[in-house]
């Protein structure tokens, strides 16, 4: 039997495909992809075994740094760095929260990337905010 789980997100997410590198407190790095973002957080996905090696078995990896390169308002490539905290962990992904939010310039760069992604793949749409269904058999 399927059960609906209400979406507890406070803000709508924007889908994106942005390559990134996460540096964990222990000094290990994880090559990954930012899959969605909002002004307070990100969902980042990558290789599960590489995430385990980088993060270990703990869900509390402490503060982490996210590095990525995206176009600025003038179309030039620019390096961005964010500091956040893991608030959700899956086998191959993490949810990251930014206590002070994401800077407007970073949000704009990610939004430009998301727009480029959606125009390059017209069949892709951002996910709806409908409840998530889980199989509770």
């Amino acid at each position: 039997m399927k059960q609906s789980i209400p979406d507890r997100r406070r803000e709508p997410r924007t889908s994106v495909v942005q390559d990134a590198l996460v540096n964990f407190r222990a000094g290990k790095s994880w090559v990954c992809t930012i899959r969605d973002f909002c002004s307070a957080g990100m969902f980042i996905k990558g290789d599960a075994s590489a995430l385990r090696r980088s993060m270990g078995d703990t869900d509390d990896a402490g503060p982490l740094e996210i590095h990525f390169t995206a176009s600025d308002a003038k179309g030039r490539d620019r390096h961005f760095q964010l500091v956040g905290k893991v608030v959700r962990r899956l086998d191959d992904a993490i949810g990251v929260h930014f206590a002070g939010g994401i800077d407007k310039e970073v949000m704009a760069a990610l939004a430009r990337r998301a727009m480029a992604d959606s125009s390059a793949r017209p069949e892709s749409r951002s996910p709806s905010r409908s409840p998530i269904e889980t199989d509770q058999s």
Side-chain angles (χ1 to χ4, degrees), residues 32-125:
C32 52
T33 304
I34 301 168
R35 298 308 306 245
D36 72 34
F37 67 96
C38 69
S39 65
M42 285 181 177
F43 183 71
I44 304 172
K45 193 170 171 88
D47 181 69
S49 61
L51 178 58
R52 276 190 304 277
R53 283 191 306 273
S54 298
M55 243 182 115
D57 292 329
T58 180
D59 286 343
D60 180 16
L64 55 82
E65 295 178 348
I66 301 165
H67 299 267
F68 65 94
T69 301
S71 296
D72 65 14
K74 294 182 180 178
R76 298 175 299 213
D77 281 350
R78 177 152 174 238
H79 172 259
F80 293 96
Q81 176 183 338
L82 302 170
V83 176
K85 178 177 175 32
V86 174
V87 292
R88 182 172 185 201
R89 182 174 175 182
L90 305 172
D91 265 354
D92 63 348
I94 56 175
V96 179
H97 174 72
F98 304 103
I102 298 178
D103 179 87
K104 289 180 183 178
E105 191 174 3
V106 176
M107 288 289 291
L110 288 169
R112 280 189 293 277
R113 179 56 191 244
M115 292 280 286
D117 288 347
S118 66
S119 65
R121 293 174 304 174
E123 74 282 356
S124 68
R125 303 276 188 258

Side-chain angles (χ1 to χ4, degrees), residues 1-5 131-137:
M1 177 176 170
K2 291 197 176 203
Q3 176 183 6
S4 275
I5 300 173
I132 301 166
E133 291 187 5
T134 60
D135 192 357
Q136 299 290 322
S137 321

